[in-house]
């Protein structure tokens, strides 16, 4: 009887440990897919890229936000590598504008969600949730996070700048 209790106790422990391990693995996969990580861990790339590739801002043309005032998917035939990420553009003209002044056209905070950066994290973006302020492009996870960030824009921008390592 005593050995049976020990066996059940060990079996319960193993099951609990396996469940905890599975939950941690699933959390890691979710965080990796959503690009969520604390900035203090310094585990993010300089540029927000696709999970399985090096495509910047989900293939959208950063220059189009300025020239056309909307999110426009770039063409694979119009690509340029900058900061170890592949950027796609609508036209060769947009590539040249970007090449001549990438800091002007590249989204702030590596193209991660500006709201998340203000909270000390990185997060995936929706290319359609964006704003240009003082000639700088800011991207967001979705419209609701963009609206929350805008509610206290100046304070959030200061938090972004202090949280984003080595940029400001």
């Amino acid at each position: 009887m005593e050995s049976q209790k020990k066996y059940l106790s060990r079996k319960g422990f193993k099951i609990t440990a396996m469940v905890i391990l599975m939950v941690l693995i699933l959390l890691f996969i979710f965080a990796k897919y959503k690009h969520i990580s604390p900035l203090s861990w310094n585990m993010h790339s300089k540029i927000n890229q696709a999970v399985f590739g090096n495509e910047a801002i989900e293939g959208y043309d950063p220059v189009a936000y300025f020239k056309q005032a909307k999110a426009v998917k770039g063409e694979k035939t119009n690509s340029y590598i900058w900061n170890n990420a592949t950027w796609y553009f609508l036209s060769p003209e947009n590539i040249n504008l970007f090449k001549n002044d990438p800091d002007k056209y590249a989204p702030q905070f590596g193209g991660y969600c500006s709201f998340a950066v203000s909270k000390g994290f990185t997060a995936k973006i929706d290319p359609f949730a964006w704003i240009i302020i003082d000639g700088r492009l800011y991207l967001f996870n979705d419209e609701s996070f963009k609206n929350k960030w805008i509610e206290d824009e100046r304070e959030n921008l200061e938090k972004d700048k202090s949280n984003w390592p080595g940029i400001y």
Side-chain angles (χ1 to χ4, degrees):
M1 189 69 156
E2 188 64 35
S3 64
Q4 189 176 19
K5 284 182 181 178
K6 285 182 183 179
Y7 171 77
L8 291 175
S9 176
R10 270 186 275 155
K11 187 174 181 179
F13 175 76
K14 286 180 182 179
I15 290 171
T16 302
M18 290 299 288
V19 168
I20 291 171
L21 181 61
M22 292 301 290
V23 167
L24 290 174
I25 289 170
L26 289 173
L27 282 173
F28 176 77
I29 291 169
F30 174 79
K32 186 71 174 163
Y33 175 73
K34 291 290 193 175
H35 295 239
I36 299 170
S37 71
L39 288 169
S40 61
W41 291 1
N42 204 20
M43 293 176 59
H44 61 282
S45 59
K46 187 174 183 178
I47 302 294
N48 186 1
Q49 300 174 29
V51 174
F52 299 109
N54 65 344
E55 179 181 85
I57 62 173
E58 299 187 16
Y60 282 78
D61 181 341
V63 177
Y65 289 101
F66 294 88
K67 287 181 61 184
Q68 295 177 277
K70 64 181 180 178
V72 178
K73 193 84 163 170
E75 301 289 334
K76 298 243 184 227
T77 55
N78 297 317
S79 65
Y80 175 65
I81 295 176
W82 180 71
N83 275 345
N84 297 320
T86 303
W87 299 78
Y88 294 104
F89 301 88
L90 193 58
S91 67
E93 178 188 357
N94 285 8
I95 293 174
N96 289 332
L97 287 169
F98 188 86
K99 280 182 181 179
N100 290 332
D101 196 356
D103 291 329
K104 175 180 179 177
Y105 295 104
Q108 299 301 290
F109 317 114
Y112 291 99
C113 172
S114 295
F115 180 83
V117 172
S118 74
K119 302 301 181 198
F121 290 85
T122 60
K124 191 175 176 179
I125 54 102
D126 172 357
F128 295 95
W130 62 278
I131 191 169
I132 293 176
I133 300 170
D134 298 330
R136 299 288 183 205
L137 174 61
Y138 299 91
L139 300 172
F140 300 89
N141 183 268
D142 63 31
E143 284 293 322
S144 67
F145 285 115
K146 173 184 154 185
N147 293 335
K148 287 178 187 176
W149 188 86
I150 290 172
E151 285 175 9
D152 202 353
E153 178 185 307
R154 292 296 162 201
E155 183 178 330
N156 286 324
L157 188 53
E158 288 305 314
K159 289 178 184 176
D160 282 330
K161 289 176 181 180
S162 67
N163 288 340
W164 191 249
I167 302 298
Y168 293 95

